[in-house]
Amino acid sequence: MEVALGLLALVAIVCACSALGHKINVSAPLLLVLAGVVCSFLPFVPTIELNPELVMVGLLPPLLYAAALQTSLFDFGSNRRSIGLLSVGYVIFGTIGIGLVVAWLFPEIPLAAAIALGAVVAPPDAVAATAIARKVGMPRRIVTILEGESLVNDATALICLRAAIAAIAGTVSAAEVAGGFLLAAGGGLVVGVAAAFVLTALRKRIRNVAINTSTSLIAPLVAYLPAEAIHASGVLAVVVTGLIMGTKAPSMPNGAARLSQRSNWHTVQFLLENSVFLLIGLQVRTIIEGVRDDSLGPERIWLGCAVVLLAVLILRPVWVFPATYLPRLIPAVRRKDPAPPWQYAAIVSWAGMRGVVTLAAVLVLPAGLEHRSVLILMALVVVAGTLTLQGFTLPALVRWLHVKGPDPREDALNEASLMQMATAAGVQRLRELRSDADPPEVVAMLKRRTQERGLAAWERLGRPSAEAATPSQRYAQLRLAMLDAERAKVLELRRGGGYAHEVLVNVLDRLDVEESMLDAALEEPDTDGGRGGEGIARPLGVCPHLESAPDPAVPPGPFCAACVRDGTTTVHLRMCLECGNVACCDSSPGTHAYKHFQLSGHPVMRSVEPGEDWRWCYPDELLG
């Protein structure tokens, strides 16, 4: 009964804090940590000890797998140098650096134990940084790098921790450490690829949605357990499996199974990652009480904890800035990947929150180790300090540095363009498959439904629902009202008992599937970017700048001269309608079209991408 009540309370607090955080615009992980701290000091809350095996096997693999499923393997590959320097280079650098600081502060603690603590606190959390990064609205490349780092750095840290614990127990040579690292990394990679191959082959042959989804849910353990059995990195194996499965999932058969997988993993990830932060806060009282009788003394212990936290905060930028700019001294690297603004490195430096893996890993230290409770307290202070200092100040830092997140206008336009190309491919396939025997009304209905889906994406560029619903939105509103009436009728007939339960369930399921598709059409994306509602969802044709703008011809072979001059990459091209200047879009690193507007004051530009003729007014933020 106590376990059931504990689980009920945990889920209730997680849901309540998440809802509150969304309502008051505060990160839910930070609220959950604070709630856990408060609960840990309440007299009626029992002491909850964090079981390291529960975290390492029960929480970490599914969390990493869920994150890997949503990470683009292509983006991961294009940023592999930055991710590798952080997830491997920085973790090793931080492990040694923190270990030396701890050994200097407390000579009574063996060097191997100090290095073990360094390995424990070196990796930023796999959840905290990206959760806050997405909420703040950072540039996609920063989010990709932070996600990639958090996926791989735990594997590096646990390998370092394993070597340090071996050194605590006895002597270990550099060759043994290197061999163990190669085995852990190589074995984890091989097992991850093999697990992904087996799971993909199985799921392609399983048509039953429940069995297919269950196979997906056990995927983390399928990768983790064999890797750990051969002393390889189970964490790395899980990440590799998740990256491959996430890439292959859209091409797998059975759309219902794909929807079920996304829905179930979304729920699992929500409960686990939020429970993790609550568990962190619940450990506070137990850990603080554990150091009361330590011979090092409370003043020296707390001062040492503060110095270790400061070292953790300092060592990250000490590594990040040189790792960002030194490789670009090589001409080939610089040409392929120009140096980002210093603000990017500053944000990555400050996005180093630690989490539950740090607390779980420190509990793996041998029980008989002298001053073990002090090392655990240091880990707790680092976790609490980074979550509080960096978690609360990171949004303000992003705003202060004027770093822009993804441009909602570009996203909406790209979505519409992509949908248009997909629609064209579907219509072309319809032309190839149709025969003279096909009823014309069936062909017309297929073509109309396909084209309406593509038009719905373009409609979101122009008119807000507050002024007038688009045709697609109005269709969804009317169809939802019809579905409500249809469901009410089915429920009325169910009460009469004249239909079998299975028949009723099948009909209700079909109505639910259609309703879920319509809900997506009614959801308005947040396109204002924090500007008080002034985004792409503004009416067309009501701006004097758009009405009076000239319409110069697009030059042949247009290109962004500023990108060529600066050596930056062009994503899309825009042309000023006042002077004909061609420059890159806001998704490009140089944002030269927007800079041209700032310098010249010319209000209107147009897209010069093939098949696009839309215009944009910068002062009024209107699409034309």
Side-chain angles (χ1 to χ4, degrees), residues 344 407 410 560 563 568-574 583-593 595 609:
Y344 282 29
D407 189 342
E410 292 291 335
C560 179
C563 280
T568 55
T569 303
T570 300
V571 178
H572 295 299
L573 289 173
R574 310 291 180 241
C584 62
C585 65
D586 287 353
S587 294
S588 306
T591 64
H592 293 123
K595 290 176 181 176
E609 293 297 312

Side-chain angles (χ1 to χ4, degrees), residues 173-463:
S173 66
E176 290 174 328
V177 172
F181 191 91
L182 290 175
L183 171 63
L189 181 63
V190 170
V191 172
V193 172
F197 176 80
V198 172
L199 289 168
T200 301
L202 281 175
R203 295 189 61 200
K204 281 183 176 180
R205 291 165 173 78
I206 298 174
R207 306 299 300 179
N208 183 277
V209 174
I211 299 176
N212 199 308
T213 304
S214 300
T215 305
S216 172
L217 292 176
I218 64 170
L221 293 180
V222 170
Y224 184 86
L225 295 178
E228 289 293 317
I230 63 171
H231 303 290
S233 173
V235 169
L236 184 59
V238 169
V239 170
V240 171
T241 302
L243 287 171
I244 297 175
M245 295 293 291
T247 303
K248 289 184 173 293
S251 61
M252 289 186 183
N254 198 337
R258 294 196 296 270
L259 288 172
S260 177
Q261 172 185 278
R262 283 199 295 271
S263 175
N264 281 281
W265 271 114
H266 181 74
T267 303
V268 169
Q269 185 177 18
F270 169 79
L271 288 175
L272 291 185
E273 72 182 18
N274 286 290
S275 299
V276 157
F277 292 106
L278 184 60
L279 289 173
I280 290 173
L282 289 170
Q283 305 307 302
V284 170
R285 184 182 68 180
T286 302
I287 293 175
I288 291 177
E289 291 176 349
V291 299
R292 286 180 178 175
D293 300 326
D294 194 277
S295 60
L296 293 176
E299 294 83 4
R300 190 179 172 196
I301 291 172
W302 284 106
L303 178 61
C305 290
V307 173
V308 170
L309 173 60
L310 182 63
V312 168
L313 296 176
I314 292 175
L315 285 175
R316 187 166 172 87
V318 167
W319 175 267
V320 168
F321 276 91
T324 300
Y325 296 106
L326 287 181
R328 290 176 171 88
L329 295 178
I330 303 172
V333 175
R334 185 170 61 251
R335 283 194 301 269
K336 186 177 180 181
D337 184 17
W342 68 268
Q343 291 91 336
Y344 282 29
I347 291 173
V348 172
S349 298
W350 198 242
M353 290 75 78
R354 274 60 173 179
V356 73
V357 175
T358 293
L359 282 183
V362 78
L363 295 175
V364 176
L365 293 175
L369 181 65
E370 191 176 4
H371 306 297
R372 179 176 181 268
S373 59
V374 176
L375 297 175
I376 296 174
L377 179 64
M378 288 182 187
L380 173 66
V381 170
V382 169
V383 171
T386 54
L387 281 174
T388 303
L389 293 174
Q390 296 178 324
F392 278 113
T393 59
L394 185 59
L397 177 67
V398 173
R399 290 191 296 268
W400 181 67
L401 293 177
H402 302 291
V403 175
K404 294 183 178 180
D407 189 342
R409 295 166 295 187
E410 292 291 335
D411 286 352
L413 287 166
N414 288 334
E415 179 186 340
S417 177
L418 184 63
M419 186 64 74
Q420 180 177 332
M421 290 186 285
T423 299
V427 173
Q428 177 61 31
R429 185 59 174 163
L430 175 63
R431 293 195 187 102
E432 296 171 358
L433 293 177
R434 64 171 298 183
S435 64
D436 295 336
D438 292 325
E441 60 272 16
V442 172
V443 176
M445 181 174 61
L446 286 169
K447 188 179 297 185
R448 185 181 70 251
R449 288 187 178 180
T450 303
Q451 291 173 339
E452 285 174 352
R453 185 186 58 197
L455 290 173
W458 287 104
E459 289 169 2
R460 287 199 294 270
L461 299 176
R463 291 156 51 188

